[in-house]
Amino acid sequence: MQIAFIGLGHMGGPMAINLHKAGHNVQAFDLVPAACETAKAAGVQIAASSEAAVKGAEVVISMLPASHHVEGLYLGHGGSGGLLAHIAQGTLVIDSSTIAAATSQKVAKAAQAAGLAFIDAPVSGGVGGAVAGTLTFMVGGSNADLERARPVLEKMGANIFHAGAIGAGQTAKICNNMLLGILMIGTSEAMSLGVANGLDPKVLAEIMRRSSGGNWALEKYNPYPGVHENAPASKGYAGGFGTDLMLKDLGLSQENATATRASTPLGGLARALYAAHSLAGHGGEDFSSIIKMVQKKS
């Protein structure tokens, strides 16, 4: 299948590479030359522009940082002159960015008016899941469009959930990431408290993992250095899912909570703590570095 892939960052790059490895003809583009070079070294063809990438594409996939990037890509600045005008009618557009549901709905409406199919399909699973092809996709869109996308999504992920209509995938994602942010802060507090009392962090992590405090952050992505060899915490909090990206997603959750008058006090607190952590200079570090805020200083 001829696939255009726009956005080759920590998540998008491995996803595009997995599509290439599966035998698809992938034409990719990113504004960052280094990201293009990494994908190119793995065999992915790099186009000169996003417009060139979508030429002849049967499926267009985007993986971008935020709502304004997605809207700017597809609709252009000022609402015109975007990529939608360069995509052939009948093409399926899959946006896997984590953005506001309202933005997905706005882009989908414009795509459908241009004769294109559109689904929002944000992911969970982190960079490790992107590399391994085990991501979870949360899809918003019609049943027919999801089934059309399924053979492509299956090459990048192990779990595909139909959350509902356009925008529902984004809503499911912000709920998930709000909970993840809360769990990471709680895990950081518990690990730091135990270590401050002289407990071995690996032993403590295993005790809690097998007890009622067990959670994904504790078991798979421990924020304490040395507990998990391949976690960002053991690599100077480099790579992974950045603090500023978590802050963005927590912001989306709180914007949605305000709009729907939902009560999310822990989500609001998590956003405030991540904002303070970012302002302290940790925005580019993995979000598990939030443990630095609660660790006892030696």
Side-chain angles (χ1 to χ4, degrees):
M1 190 177 292
Q2 184 77 19
I3 298 175
F5 204 108
I6 312 298
L8 298 171
H10 292 308
M11 297 293 291
M15 291 165 69
I17 290 169
N18 282 335
L19 290 172
H20 164 71
K21 289 179 178 178
H24 294 296
N25 183 15
V26 181
Q27 293 278 350
F29 178 73
D30 193 288
L31 292 172
V32 179
C36 292
E37 288 303 315
T38 299
K40 183 178 180 180
V44 175
Q45 299 179 59
I46 303 300
S49 64
S50 57
E51 292 82 3
V54 303
K55 186 175 182 180
E58 300 166 77
V59 176
V60 175
I61 303 172
S62 51
M63 182 53 128
L64 302 175
S67 294
H68 68 275
H69 297 109
V70 174
E71 187 169 338
L73 173 69
Y74 288 114
L75 305 184
H77 299 288
S80 61
L83 192 62
L84 292 182
H86 299 271
I87 303 174
Q89 285 194 0
T91 301
L92 171 64
V93 178
I94 302 171
D95 180 45
S96 287
S97 316
T98 297
I99 59 175
T103 301
S104 288
Q105 292 161 350
K106 180 179 181 179
V107 174
K109 184 177 181 180
Q112 291 161 357
L116 308 173
F118 182 95
I119 64 172
D120 58 291
V123 303
S124 179
V127 175
V131 173
T134 58
L135 294 170
T136 293
F137 284 91
M138 309 166 203
V139 178
S142 71
N143 285 318
D145 290 341
L146 169 56
E147 291 311 309
R148 186 177 167 191
R150 189 177 296 275
V152 176
L153 300 181
E154 287 176 341
K155 301 304 180 184
M156 300 180 287
N159 304 292
I160 302 169
F161 292 101
H162 190 191
I166 294 292
Q170 300 295 349
T171 300
K173 177 61 188 292
I174 63 171
C175 290
N176 178 81
N177 277 24
M178 182 180 73
L179 179 58
L180 175 60
I182 294 168
L183 289 173
M184 184 57 77
I185 293 169
T187 297
S188 295
E189 289 187 358
M191 290 295 300
S192 297
L193 176 61
V195 171
N197 280 276
L199 296 184
D200 183 310
K202 289 187 177 181
V203 173
L204 175 60
E206 185 64 12
I207 291 171
M208 293 193 294
R209 187 182 75 83
R210 294 179 178 272
S211 303
S212 55
N215 65 78
W216 186 87
L218 181 70
E219 181 176 355
K220 304 288 188 181
Y221 212 89
N222 200 289
Y224 201 91
V227 174
H228 293 148
E229 181 181 349
N230 293 319
S234 299
K235 301 176 181 178
Y237 299 100
F241 184 62
T243 289
D244 282 345
L245 289 175
M246 174 55 80
L247 178 59
K248 179 208 72 171
D249 290 357
L250 289 168
L252 289 173
S253 75
Q254 294 315 291
E255 289 172 11
N256 187 279
T258 299
T260 58
R261 300 182 69 185
S263 177
T264 57
L266 290 181
L269 178 57
R271 187 203 172 279
L273 290 172
Y274 271 101
H277 189 52
S278 177
L279 285 172
H282 305 288
E285 296 175 352
D286 182 76
F287 81 107
S288 61
S289 65
I290 191 76
I291 195 173
K292 295 179 179 181
M293 182 179 285
V294 296
Q295 277 179 313
K296 183 178 180 180
K297 304 299 188 289
S298 56

